[in-house]
Amino acid sequence: MKPANAPSSTRRQFVGQLAASAAALALAPTAVRAATVAAPLSSKKLGVALVGLGGYSIGQLVPALRRTQHCQLVGVATRDPGGKGREAAQVFGFPAKNIYAYDQIASMRDNSDIDIIYVVTPNSLHRQDVVAAAAAGKHVITEKPMGISVADCDTMIKACRDAGVQLGLGYRNNFDPYFQEMMRIARWKEFGALKAMSGEFSGNINAAGAWRTQKALAGGGPVMDLGVYVIHASILAAAGESPIAVTAKATINRPQIYTDVEEIMEFTLEFANGAKCDGFTSYGGPKPLGSGPNRFRADYERGFVDFPAAFNYNGTHALTTRGPLSFPNVADPADNTYQQARQLDDFARCVRDNVPTSVPGEMGRQDLCVIEAIYTSAKNNGARTLVKV
Ligand code: NAD
């Protein structure tokens, strides 16, 4: 994740980033690439078009798409079709006909190169971009948070259902082996009942004006952007169960920057069996976005799973009652887009096999239900607020 307050890339920087992501892949060890391989179903890779060529697309998804076995980058939609779009086409070798402006997404319908549209724009734009992708008859992945309201999520789910296309979330952690092991422990109650959880994801935005600090584009502050990881992890640790109630407190320490959204949110999620998750997320963290504190821990009756680094793109590791978890292919420092490559390949396989994705729109909606309750509680001075599902 690029710091949200970083200046926009110049064209030269953009081309440099594209080239760097290609070079990084070339250096990645074979074991890393092999780790993303699953049984090939057919030789044809599905075509992916990225909507939005910002920090996450260029820094993570483009290199991940070079590692995937079942899909590849074949097109883009961007604010700058003649500049960034053309350069991406040249670097990645797709035809100019596959470059679109944002308002042309629905016309991807006529382009048989494109099977999947991946929406990577600011949060409030996900709804219109997903609806346009569904109108194009393409399967869709959208980034987190799924939208900025539960109503957004309902609109996207309905549009995709009506169009008969799959809708998946960019929940990369669900494809991280460490998280998958926690999900397995939770599902089979290997450590008994869930007792308590805690988590934090923070990073610094220290200048006004970034879209992440504008409610109209971001929907809210760090809860929407970073806190959602803690909320999502707690639901995974609870074997998919939603919290039933929340309490929350929002703080603004730098009102000159945070005129529109919270700077810090502390929240407690309460689950049906009485287990609680204490969460913290801040844009006033000690380090830039993407490198700030991030951790998650779940305590069960007879054991724990503890992620000292939970939500980074790489370097995830976890301790458990049984000792540290170990996945040798994941520990490699070059292994920077492992989660995203697995996530993309899984979605492509689901589309190709016509089986439902394990990260559907309903999962994104579940997290938005919790986020809405957090904002309601914070607005009402921390009153205990039920999560409406
Ligand atoms: P960014 O600011 O780097 O890029 C945003 C992109 O959206 C740019 O291409 C920009 O041109 C485009 N855009 C279109 N309309 C815009 C507008 N009105 N204002 C600003 N930009 C506009 O952001 P990013 O970090 O790439 O985040 C994009 C999405 O991806 C967000 O929803 C974010 O939450 C998500 N994200 C997910 C992860 C993850 O790990 N899954 C990490 C980072 C970002």
Side-chain angles (χ1 to χ4, degrees):
M1 192 184 321
K2 134 187 135 172
N5 55 333
S8 305
S9 302
T10 62
R11 187 152 301 161
R12 189 175 302 164
Q13 284 170 327
F14 174 74
V15 174
Q17 285 170 329
L18 289 178
S21 57
L25 179 85
L27 293 173
T30 311
V32 171
R33 273 168 282 171
T36 66
V37 179
L41 299 171
S42 118
S43 54
K44 183 190 178 293
K45 288 184 169 190
L46 297 190
V48 176
L50 290 172
V51 174
L53 287 178
Y56 190 58
S57 275
I58 297 302
Q60 300 296 315
L61 296 177
V62 164
L65 278 160
R66 288 183 163 261
R67 290 183 173 180
T68 43
Q69 302 296 311
H70 302 299
C71 54
Q72 63 188 341
L73 181 62
V74 296
V76 293
T78 162
R79 268 207 286 219
D80 184 16
K84 275 187 175 185
R86 270 170 62 112
E87 281 148 14
Q90 278 161 9
V91 173
F92 290 97
F94 55 81
K97 73 177 175 62
N98 295 1
I99 305 167
Y100 294 83
Y102 288 129
D103 60 2
Q104 297 172 326
I105 294 170
S107 63
M108 290 186 189
R109 169 173 280 285
D110 303 321
N111 191 329
S112 61
D113 293 350
I114 298 169
D115 303 289
I116 296 167
I117 296 176
Y118 196 150
V119 173
V120 203
T121 48
N123 309 340
S124 71
L125 306 181
H126 295 175
R127 182 180 62 179
Q128 69 188 44
D129 294 339
V130 167
V131 169
K138 306 296 182 183
H139 302 279
V140 200
I141 307 173
T142 186
E143 259 314 318
K144 47 54 59 177
M146 182 172 167
I148 60 168
S149 67
V150 176
D152 271 6
C153 301
D154 288 335
T155 302
M156 289 184 252
I157 290 168
K158 182 173 185 314
C160 290
R161 190 182 298 137
D162 290 351
V165 298
Q166 292 224 35
L167 170 58
L169 265 292
Y171 280 147
R172 57 185 171 82
N173 284 129
N174 287 50
F175 299 90
D176 177 288
Y178 296 88
F179 270 83
Q180 289 180 336
E181 178 62 1
M182 181 181 73
M183 289 154 72
R184 195 188 62 75
I185 287 169
R187 187 177 320 121
W188 297 106
K189 293 209 172 350
E190 279 196 5
F191 293 163
L194 186 59
K195 302 295 282 180
M197 293 171 277
S198 64
E200 172 177 1
F201 197 6
S202 298
N204 203 318
I205 296 182
N206 56 16
W211 69 257
R212 282 181 163 86
T213 64
Q214 297 171 35
K215 194 164 182 197
L217 284 169
V223 172
M224 285 280 178
D225 189 23
L226 307 177
V228 65
Y229 287 86
V230 177
I231 295 164
H232 190 66
S234 75
I235 291 174
L236 298 181
E241 234 184 83
S242 278
I244 55 165
V246 309
T247 56
K249 181 181 167 213
T251 308
I252 293 175
N253 290 332
R254 296 175 293 175
Q256 68 281 16
I257 300 172
Y258 294 92
T259 55
D260 217 14
V261 299
E262 82 280 0
E263 183 177 0
I264 297 167
M265 187 75 85
E266 295 159 78
F267 53 89
T268 299
L269 314 179
E270 181 187 322
F271 288 75
N273 76 344
K276 291 192 173 165
C277 175
D278 289 321
F280 182 87
T281 182
S282 168
Y283 276 161
K287 292 184 178 168
L289 282 192
S291 56
N294 68 99
R295 58 178 184 81
F296 181 78
R297 179 180 169 108
D299 282 281
Y300 299 85
E301 271 172 324
R302 296 188 298 278
F304 66 84
V305 185
D306 190 356
F307 296 81
F311 307 119
N312 283 343
Y313 296 136
N314 59 350
T316 311
H317 58 286
L319 311 169
T320 74
T321 315
R322 298 185 190 127
L325 294 180
S326 159
F327 298 94
N329 283 340
V330 183
D332 193 301
D335 193 4
N336 199 33
T337 49
Y338 183 87
Q339 297 171 359
Q340 291 90 346
R342 282 169 59 111
Q343 173 211 319
L344 279 153
D345 263 342
D346 188 79
F347 191 77
R349 280 195 300 270
C350 289
V351 166
R352 201 150 57 184
D353 278 359
N354 198 20
V355 297
T357 169
S358 62
V359 286
E362 287 74 8
M363 197 175 249
R365 183 188 188 280
Q366 185 180 24
D367 292 346
L368 256 299
C369 290
V370 180
I371 290 175
E372 282 195 351
I374 286 174
Y375 280 113
T376 303
S377 172
K379 202 165 111 192
N380 294 318
N381 300 315
R384 181 173 180 273
T385 303
L386 296 181
V387 176
K388 291 188 211 135
V389 287

